[in-house]
């Protein structure tokens, strides 16, 4: 069964310019093949993610479409490969709890465009492999993309699992599409408290993902997104060690994320302390 937008949602007319369904599906398959290649070569997680972002951007570099559309296609293609059914599952959750009048129109655009691409629905079924999904369908048997188990992530967001690309990109994706950072942050706290495997590192990873998704959306909406440097922003946001030749934009963003992780403002520090305290208290009881 293919993905469908929620029945109440408007069906916006979206501009694909010179891009065809077959062409976009081919881009996603190529991105999935790259993910498998890098995983099998045991490329560390943040570097792998950065290389996937570079390829996703390059696929639309010469497309005859507005820059905003190129940015959206990059995020959509990465979401199919990294998040698969879970991108749809949690967009549906967000759509359910958020009134249409305050909902970002990109939510409906993404529903419509993922459906147009013919991806399966929000259930983790084997057909997602054919669609290009490369992360876990079954936690007990499927490897994550990162064979280094988070070792090249910032230590504050390294939870020693092979799934941190998926976890962190989820929050980046949701922040980009919805612009509802407070809602997504609250969802992270809920997840870390009530779902299996919660940790302070995971919640901090969510905060960095939210900031990165918000920044990419800001760049997208600016009309001058400099998407060719997005792979460097991934390094700047998430990597423990980054190359010295990062672009000025990525270096500046690195400093912003450093402040978020290491030197938050008084209010955010107090909120985060409360969030982490709650996570520790609940997990101690488990």
């Amino acid at each position: 069964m293919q993905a469908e937008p929620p029945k109440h949602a408007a069906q916006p007319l979206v501009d694909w310019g010179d891009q065809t369904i077959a062409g976009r599906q081919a881009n996603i398959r190529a991105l999935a093949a790259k993910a498998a290649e890098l995983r099998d070569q045991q490329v560390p997680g943040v570097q792998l993610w950065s290389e996937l972002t570079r390829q996703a951007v390059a696929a639309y570099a010469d497309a005859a479409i507005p820059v905003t559309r190129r940015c959206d296609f990059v995020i959509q293609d990465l979401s199919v490969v990294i998040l698969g059914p879970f991108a749809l599952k949690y967009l549906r959750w967000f759509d359910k709890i958020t009134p249409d009048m305050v909902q970002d129109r990109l939510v409906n655009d993404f529903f419509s465009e993922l459906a147009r691409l013919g991806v399966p629905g929000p259930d983790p079924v084997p057909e997602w492999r054919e669609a290009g999904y490369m992360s876990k369908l079954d936690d007990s048997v499927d490897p994550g993309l990162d064979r280094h188990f988070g070792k090249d992530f910032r230590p504050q967001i390294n939870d020693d699992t092979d799934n941190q690309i998926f976890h962190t990109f989820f929050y980046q994706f949701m922040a980009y599409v919805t612009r509802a950072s407070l809602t997504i942050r609250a969802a992270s706290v809920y997840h870390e408290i009530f779902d299996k495997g919660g940790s302070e590192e995971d919640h901090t990873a969510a905060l960095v993902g939210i900031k990165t998704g918000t920044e990419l959306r800001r760049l997208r909406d600016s009309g001058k997104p400099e998407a060719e440097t997005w792979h460097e922003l991934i390094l700047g946001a998430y990597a423990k060690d980054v190359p010295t030749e990062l672009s000025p934009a990525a270096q500046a963003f690195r400093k912003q994320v450093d402040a978020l992780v290491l030197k938050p403002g008084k209010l955010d520090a107090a909120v985060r302390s409360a969030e982490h305290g709650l996570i520790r208290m609940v997990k101690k009881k488990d």
Side-chain angles (χ1 to χ4, degrees), residues 127-154:
E127 287 79 9
W128 267 103
R129 292 294 186 220
E130 297 174 22
Y133 177 52
M134 293 304 298
S135 295
K136 299 184 180 186
L137 280 174
D138 183 341
D139 238 1
S140 64
V141 297
D142 291 332
L145 289 172
D146 182 7
R147 300 288 75 211
H148 289 255
F149 294 84
K151 289 298 185 288
D152 73 330
F153 280 81
R154 292 170 176 269

Side-chain angles (χ1 to χ4, degrees), residues 50 53-54 57-58 215-216 219 224-237 245-251 253:
S50 175
T53 302
R54 186 202 299 267
V57 168
E215 174 66 7
L216 295 182
L219 290 170
K224 297 179 181 179
E226 297 180 340
E228 67 274 7
T229 67
W230 279 17
H231 68 284
E232 293 186 323
L233 292 177
I234 298 302
L235 294 172
E245 65 272 14
L246 279 183
S247 68
Q251 291 180 32
F253 188 60

Side-chain angles (χ1 to χ4, degrees), residues 60 105 178 247 260 278:
Y60 300 104
R105 68 157 290 163
T178 70
S247 68
L260 169 72
L278 190 57

Side-chain angles (χ1 to χ4, degrees), residues 200-223:
E200 293 176 51
E201 290 81 7
D202 268 358
H203 183 53
T204 304
L207 298 182
V208 178
I210 291 167
K211 184 170 185 63
T212 307
T214 300
E215 174 66 7
L216 295 182
R217 178 62 187 271
R218 183 191 71 77
L219 290 170
R220 179 253 193 210
D221 292 345
S222 74

Side-chain angles (χ1 to χ4, degrees), residues 107-178:
V107 174
N108 283 333
D109 282 358
F110 269 52
F111 275 129
S112 297
E113 296 188 331
L114 290 171
R116 191 175 175 188
L117 288 169
V119 299
D123 298 315
V125 294
E127 287 79 9
W128 267 103
R129 292 294 186 220
E130 297 174 22
Y133 177 52
M134 293 304 298
S135 295
K136 299 184 180 186
L137 280 174
D138 183 341
D139 238 1
S140 64
V141 297
D142 291 332
L145 289 172
D146 182 7
R147 300 288 75 211
H148 289 255
F149 294 84
K151 289 298 185 288
D152 73 330
F153 280 81
R154 292 170 176 269
Q156 299 85 1
I157 62 177
N158 172 17
D159 69 346
D160 296 317
T161 73
D162 60 355
N163 210 37
Q164 206 65 341
I165 299 172
F166 175 99
H167 178 88
T168 311
F169 179 68
F170 165 76
Y171 290 98
Q172 179 178 310
F173 168 79
M174 291 296 290
Y176 178 95
V177 179
T178 70

